[in-house]
Amino acid sequence: MKEVMQIRVDPPGITCGNPPERFCTLENPYLCSDECDASSPDLSHPPQLMGDRERGGLITYWQTVTWSRYPEPLLANITLSWNKSLEVVDDITITFEYGRPTSMILEKSMDKGETWQPYQFYADDCLETFGMSPKRFSDLAPSNLTRVICTEQYSGWVGAKEDKVVVFEVRARFGVFAGPKLINMDALYTRMETTTGLRDFFTFTNLRLRLLRPALGGTFVQRENLLKYFYAISNIDVPARCKCNLHASQCVLRDATLQCVCDHNTTGQDCQRCRQGYASRSWRSGSYLPPPRGSANTCQAAETAAKCECNGHSNRCSYIDFINVVTCVSCKHNTRGQNCQFCRLGYYRNASLSLDHEDVCVECECDTQRSVSPHCSDSGLCQCRGGATGRRCDACLLGHTWRGAEAGCTVNVCDEERLICQNGGTCVDLQRCVCPDTFTGSLCEQSICLKKSGCLDNAEGSSSSLTSHLCLLILSLITYTL
């Protein structure tokens, strides 16, 4: 796909060389003899070098300006466009020179850049950077294979000349169903047909890299060596094929645009509708089932096609004579309604898909213990119980902790960051502070008087005047006795 891939970087001026600029390497930040100069073919690093085919061992790469404006963030976006729906078929790999970013996000669009969704988060500390627990692909199960995760696998500093590659694992996801060597493809195809959203997970029209923080060399930012912080990418590989909804075996370049050569009486750039003269409402994507050849789901001529107005989710209708209404029967794909135009309870509509798409209704997947109901809003938001948050109510609000189905997400009394036990107190299970003998209060913030040791000042200066007078009296009596 490199021949038709278009690359855009922003913001303007993020590419180095205009004006010329010196830069250092992380291995030797004090030797800054390298230069980026857009006017020199040998010293320039334009964006198109991320997609060139390197030959003869010469590594070419795109490079940004250095982080000379620290602490202002050094941010860069790389957008890859094909102007066509594609299906990724193997691992997406990005090769960085001079160190992999400390944090970045891989995003995708299915509507040619109108809207974006995250594919995967990358950071050396996922919890601190994105508020997400770190995971690897191996932590996922077949039931949540499309879950967006944050991984720390590709962001730790190991040396600029060692690991350079950042990966979005695709082959391993296929292997969950087809086996490590992808031998049992029928099982994968069956899952593609029966698992909601799995086909769309591997579909995109655009990809975007959001580079949020450059490689730091395993240390904190060194302000005296800002010329060693920048981004550089030598290669981006996106193994993909045209998405033709299983209605074409060829994809060609016509007028600089990818186009499926459609069969089965279909038409459109993705073979996404029936040809003129055929029943457009009967259009369906081709099916992998039954194996091994699947089903073509050919568009029928208008005079022979079913007349039901069911948005492709049913081919059976029933006439209710006493109200003079024709209604669809046995709506499929989790739809309901007179014309199969609504989603079943427990599902919501994917607004990025047409109404006749077989995956238009997406399961709510509301957390059974943290949500009020298994049903969600039209936008897919579940109604959360107190203290819970997230689209699916599968997380707790900041300052809350999950304590089982009965207690739910309860507010923390103490912690190690904001609600710290004072005066030597110890936080137990985020629910109480165990205080020394001379202090009390929810955070051990109040001092108390003991008969033997007298009175210690309140850590916050909030003791009442009565308590202060009593303490002074006790101290005077102890002194007089001694």
Side-chain angles (χ1 to χ4, degrees):
M1 288 296 167
K2 283 191 174 182
E3 288 77 5
V4 292
M5 180 175 69
Q6 298 179 1
I7 303 176
R8 187 185 81 245
V9 299
D10 59 83
I14 195 66
T15 300
C16 68
N18 188 18
E21 181 182 11
R22 290 187 305 110
F23 64 93
C24 320
T25 63
L26 287 168
E27 293 92 344
N28 192 345
Y30 303 100
L31 182 61
C32 299
S33 58
D34 295 314
E35 184 179 8
C36 180
D37 186 349
S39 64
S40 171
D42 296 329
L43 300 177
S44 62
H45 300 283
Q48 58 265 29
L49 296 182
M50 289 183 279
D52 65 341
R53 295 190 178 275
E54 298 168 338
R55 297 181 176 87
L58 179 62
I59 297 177
T60 58
Y61 53 92
W62 165 77
Q63 183 176 321
T64 68
V65 297
T66 60
W67 202 1
S68 56
R69 293 186 178 180
Y70 179 84
E72 178 183 326
L74 181 61
L75 306 177
N77 290 342
I78 304 167
T79 304
L80 311 177
S81 306
W82 290 268
N83 195 31
K84 171 77 175 71
S85 294
L86 304 178
E87 294 175 312
V88 63
V89 297
D90 209 334
D91 293 347
I92 297 173
T93 58
I94 305 102
T95 305
F96 287 87
E97 302 296 327
Y98 301 106
R100 298 178 292 191
T102 303
S103 59
M104 59 173 273
I105 307 174
L106 175 64
E107 298 178 321
K108 75 163 185 174
S109 173
M110 296 177 63
D111 51 15
K112 300 182 179 180
E114 292 293 325
T115 59
W116 294 89
Q117 306 90 41
Y119 237 167
Q120 192 148 294
F121 295 86
Y122 301 82
D124 65 340
D125 190 326
C126 287
L127 198 58
E128 179 182 359
T129 306
F130 298 115
M132 302 171 66
S133 297
K135 293 186 180 297
R136 291 195 177 199
F137 165 77
S138 56
D139 296 326
L140 301 179
S143 59
N144 63 357
L145 202 61
T146 60
R147 182 177 180 180
V148 177
I149 64 172
C150 179
T151 178
E152 297 176 354
Q153 184 176 357
Y154 303 102
S155 303
W157 174 251
V158 292
K161 293 184 178 180
E162 295 183 26
D163 291 341
K164 300 181 178 182
V165 174
V166 173
V167 180
F168 177 69
E169 300 90 347
V170 175
R171 175 174 286 267
R173 283 178 165 85
F174 291 156
V176 170
F177 303 123
K181 296 184 179 180
L182 304 184
I183 295 176
N184 189 10
M185 294 301 289
D186 284 352
L188 173 61
Y189 294 150
T190 299
R191 288 284 187 161
M192 286 286 195
E193 292 292 332
T194 58
T195 303
T196 302
L198 190 58
R199 263 185 169 180
D200 283 345
F201 182 77
F202 299 107
T203 299
F204 60 91
T205 59
N206 305 67
L207 294 175
R208 182 167 67 185
L209 282 175
R210 292 176 56 196
L211 306 178
L212 305 179
R213 193 172 179 86
L216 301 181
T219 65
F220 295 103
V221 174
Q222 298 175 345
R223 298 189 180 215
E224 68 275 14
N225 292 314
L226 295 177
L227 298 184
K228 69 178 182 177
Y229 304 129
F230 53 88
Y231 305 105
I233 297 179
S234 60
N235 202 31
I236 300 179
D237 276 326
V238 184
R241 67 184 178 192
C242 288
K243 180 172 183 178
C244 300
N245 291 294
L246 300 183
H247 287 309
S249 57
Q250 280 186 294
C251 190
V252 297
L253 197 62
R254 292 176 181 169
D255 299 325
T257 301
L258 285 171
Q259 171 72 52
C260 295
V261 182
C262 300
D263 298 323
H264 310 149
N265 299 321
T266 61
T267 188
Q269 189 180 17
D270 302 335
C271 305
Q272 74 274 21
R273 61 180 181 273
C274 292
R275 289 169 46 198
Q276 186 176 3
Y278 294 78
S280 60
R281 291 196 182 275
S282 66
W283 181 92
R284 288 180 58 195
S285 171
S287 174
Y288 290 110
L289 302 178
R293 294 186 177 275
S295 303
N297 294 330
T298 302
C299 289
Q300 299 177 346
E303 60 271 14
T304 61
K307 303 301 179 182
C308 290
E309 300 287 334
C310 300
N311 293 294
H313 302 300
S314 176
N315 56 9
R316 295 175 53 209
C317 289
S318 176
Y319 176 65
I320 306 175
D321 55 359
F322 67 93
I323 57 174
N324 192 29
V325 167
V326 177
T327 184
C328 297
V329 177
S330 301
C331 294
K332 300 177 182 178
H333 310 136
N334 302 307
T335 61
R336 64 179 178 87
Q338 180 181 348
N339 304 111
C340 303
Q341 75 274 35
F342 302 119
C343 291
R344 288 171 47 198
L345 291 178
Y347 291 79
Y348 68 98
R349 180 177 174 181
N350 184 345
S352 65
L353 300 178
S354 60
L355 186 56
D356 57 0
H357 196 284
E358 62 183 18
D359 295 326
V360 69
C361 290
V362 182
E363 189 173 0
C364 293
E365 295 183 323
C366 298
D367 189 284
T368 56
Q369 296 179 323
R370 306 186 207 195
S371 61
V372 176
S373 164
H375 307 150
C376 58
S377 68
D378 293 341
S379 60
L381 295 176
C382 301
Q383 185 178 357
C384 300
R385 296 185 184 275
T389 187
R391 187 195 70 76
R392 299 188 296 125
C393 304
D394 55 353
C396 291
L397 289 168
L398 182 66
H400 292 68
T401 301
W402 175 250
R403 299 190 179 277
E406 294 185 3
C409 291
T410 59
V411 65
N412 298 336
V413 174
C414 56
D415 57 31
E416 299 297 330
E417 296 180 358
R418 299 184 303 116
L419 303 171
I420 301 174
C421 298
Q422 302 176 22
N423 299 307
T426 303
C427 183
V428 178
D429 198 26
L430 303 177
Q431 290 297 290
R432 65 189 181 93
C433 288
V434 176
C435 304
D437 293 340
T438 54
F439 291 92
T440 186
S442 60
L443 295 176
C444 306
E445 75 279 11
Q446 299 177 359
S447 63
I448 59 177
C449 296
L450 297 178
K451 292 182 179 180
K452 293 182 178 181
S453 61
C455 179
L456 300 177
D457 289 339
N458 188 317
E460 298 295 332
S462 59
S463 298
S464 66
S465 59
L466 177 59
T467 303
S468 299
H469 284 98
L470 288 174
C471 291
L472 290 173
L473 178 59
I474 293 171
L475 287 173
S476 298
L477 289 174
I478 294 173
T479 303
Y480 180 78
T481 301
L482 292 175

